[in-house]
Amino acid sequence: MSETTPTRLPRILSGIQPSGQLTIGNYLGALKQWVQLQSDYDCYYCIVDMHAITVPQDPNELREGTRRNAALYLACGIQLEHATIFVQSHVSAHAELGWILGCFTPMGWLNRMTQFKDKAAKQQAESVSAGLYTYPTLMAADILLYQANLVPVGDDQRQHLELTRDLAQRFNSQYGETFTIPEGFFPKAGARIMGLDNPLAKMSKSDPSEYHAVYMLDEPDRIRKKIMRAVTDSGSGIYFTDDPAKAGVNNLLTIYQAFTDETTEAIEARFAGKGYGDLKKAVAEVVVEGLRPIQQRYRELTADSGLIDEVLAQGAAKARLVANATLNAVRDRIGFLPALDRA
Ligand code: AMP
Ligand code: TRP
């Protein structure tokens, strides 16, 4: 490349649904990575409200959740000099490319998606929406519109990312190079945080039970109470393990590690000979202290009522430029007639 060619940083795209309160699973599996990676990439961090409506949402809560997610992205340390923060429904190219990709996706691929099966199983069969089924094609559109090189997500999104890559490869081989093939980025510790009340199920922001998840905006005493009540086992050893019988202890250690970035050996040495009560107290403190500055910044950001909407308006304008360039190329490749009034 010649010296005068401006070099573009590789791109990141990721998103979180504005349904319910963000949990420490969202923080450790996604947001913490977003912050760490941001200065080496041109980042697009989305609030995926169109994904949220694949299951029923209360309109006021959805609006509130959308602004709350945006404020939490900033409160975690996402900086606008590195990242564009925007709302998915503000950029209509997502809906349009989602439809187009849906037409290129064999149903057999969608039938294999385990997240669909899990989410559908939680609802009455007749009320499961077609949108929940085609959700992965919208996620593929989110990623491919920005020509993203890297997609930092938790472990549960691996299958969706594979489908995105398969779709992009298929489209490129049929129509010529159009999409960048994205790589997934999964955190070493914290890729999969489990429920405190049931360490065999993923911690989820939509689980109704009170002692299931620690939310990012929980008060310190609430966090302590939830962690002290976490399900463990009747044994005693404190070490990292795949043994499902000790999934509760393993989950607490994983949370401890993701918040402290200490090595496995250092953590096991710290808790050698200690009881589960000591472990829980220590985990509660690292979570409380890890969230404290984020919560403080969240309060500051939301004290100014117009700030978040302003950030989102600027984000949408920037995102549209990138997304529409890709969408125009796709329209042309597949044979849609150019709309001359669109200029
Ligand atoms: P969602 O809550 O499904 O919108 O997920 C948003 C992001 O958080 C995705 O990257 C997920 O992989 C990640 N995430 C959600 N729950 C967890 C969890 N329990 N452990 C790790 N990552 C998670
Ligand atoms: N499906 C993701 C989840 O439930 C959210 C999501 C939607 C996403 N679009 C995305 C994540 C694009 C990464 C990139 O967690």
Side-chain angles (χ1 to χ4, degrees):
M1 204 175 288
S2 84
E3 274 177 59
T4 50
T5 312
T7 49
R8 166 159 96 61
L9 283 172
R11 287 224 178 97
I12 278 185
L13 179 126
S14 195
I16 302 182
Q17 300 185 49
S19 48
Q21 295 272 349
L22 297 195
T23 71
I24 55 169
N26 296 124
Y27 176 59
L28 301 173
L31 283 167
K32 190 166 172 245
Q33 275 48 248
W34 297 8
V35 173
Q36 281 169 356
L37 293 164
Q38 67 180 337
S39 45
D40 296 326
Y41 291 83
D42 177 23
C43 304
Y44 289 80
Y45 293 135
C46 187
I47 297 143
V48 289
D49 54 348
M50 288 158 64
H51 276 99
I53 63 163
T54 54
V55 297
Q57 299 293 335
D58 173 84
N60 284 325
E61 280 175 24
L62 184 60
R63 260 184 291 271
E64 241 176 63
T66 302
R67 290 198 177 102
R68 191 171 54 228
N69 267 25
L72 275 172
Y73 290 7
L74 290 167
C76 284
I78 303 290
Q79 292 171 353
L80 297 175
E81 57 176 307
H82 300 303
T84 303
I85 297 178
F86 70 103
V87 178
Q88 185 184 30
S89 66
H90 290 179
V91 181
S92 54
H94 291 247
E96 191 169 340
L97 185 62
W99 172 261
I100 294 170
L101 293 177
C103 298
F104 287 89
T105 308
M107 283 176 64
W109 291 10
L110 295 175
N111 290 339
R112 285 201 290 274
M113 296 293 117
T114 57
Q115 182 169 299
F116 171 74
K117 290 182 211 169
D118 293 347
K119 287 194 179 178
K122 289 185 185 148
Q123 296 179 56
Q124 301 275 3
E126 57 289 1
S127 58
V128 174
S129 70
L132 188 64
Y133 181 67
T134 57
Y135 174 121
T137 60
L138 180 60
M139 176 160 164
D142 299 341
I143 296 167
L144 300 178
L145 278 173
Y146 298 86
Q147 308 289 351
N149 305 87
L150 201 70
V151 181
V153 279
D155 235 12
D156 59 330
Q157 298 301 313
R158 268 179 204 276
Q159 218 187 7
H160 292 159
L161 203 70
E162 264 323 297
L163 184 137
T164 302
R165 290 165 53 89
D166 290 347
L167 260 175
Q169 265 149 1
R170 192 179 224 238
F171 193 98
N172 286 352
S173 61
Q174 202 170 336
Y175 294 101
E177 286 303 308
T178 309
F179 297 125
T180 302
I181 311 297
E183 299 286 335
F185 180 91
F186 306 94
K188 283 184 216 70
R192 199 169 179 79
I193 302 297
M194 311 307 280
L196 296 176
D197 59 341
N198 173 9
L200 297 176
K202 183 190 94 158
M203 181 181 286
S204 151
K205 54 177 138 64
S206 56
D207 191 294
S209 112
E210 211 187 326
Y211 292 98
H212 171 78
V214 172
Y215 300 117
M216 291 183 69
L217 295 174
D218 272 346
E219 301 276 335
D221 278 344
R222 230 179 134 57
I223 296 175
R224 292 188 185 101
K225 203 164 154 194
K226 287 180 175 178
I227 292 177
M228 293 314 289
R229 287 186 54 148
V231 168
T232 48
D233 57 87
S234 52
S236 59
I238 300 182
Y239 46 85
F240 287 90
T241 169
D242 293 336
D243 179 359
K246 288 189 73 74
V249 167
N250 188 65
N251 190 38
L252 289 169
L253 289 171
T254 303
I255 294 171
Y256 188 92
Q257 182 163 47
F259 270 100
T260 60
D261 293 321
E262 283 180 23
T263 64
T264 301
E265 298 72 37
I267 295 171
E268 289 181 348
R270 173 187 297 279
F271 292 110
K274 300 254 173 74
Y276 290 170
D278 301 317
L279 171 66
K280 288 178 176 179
K281 272 194 207 123
V283 172
E285 284 325 300
V286 300
V287 175
V288 166
E289 291 314 317
L291 293 179
R292 194 186 295 283
I294 297 173
Q295 296 183 349
Q296 173 61 29
R297 181 119 178 80
Y298 177 85
R299 284 190 289 271
E300 289 161 14
L301 286 162
T302 49
D304 175 347
S305 65
L307 180 81
I308 297 301
D309 288 356
E310 183 52 36
V311 166
L312 293 175
Q314 286 178 13
K318 264 185 80 185
R320 256 180 230 126
L321 290 177
V322 178
N324 287 340
T326 303
L327 181 59
N328 277 332
V330 171
R331 287 171 174 147
D332 183 55
R333 297 263 150 103
I334 63 176
F336 284 178
L337 197 64
L340 293 179
D341 66 303
R342 200 146 54 196

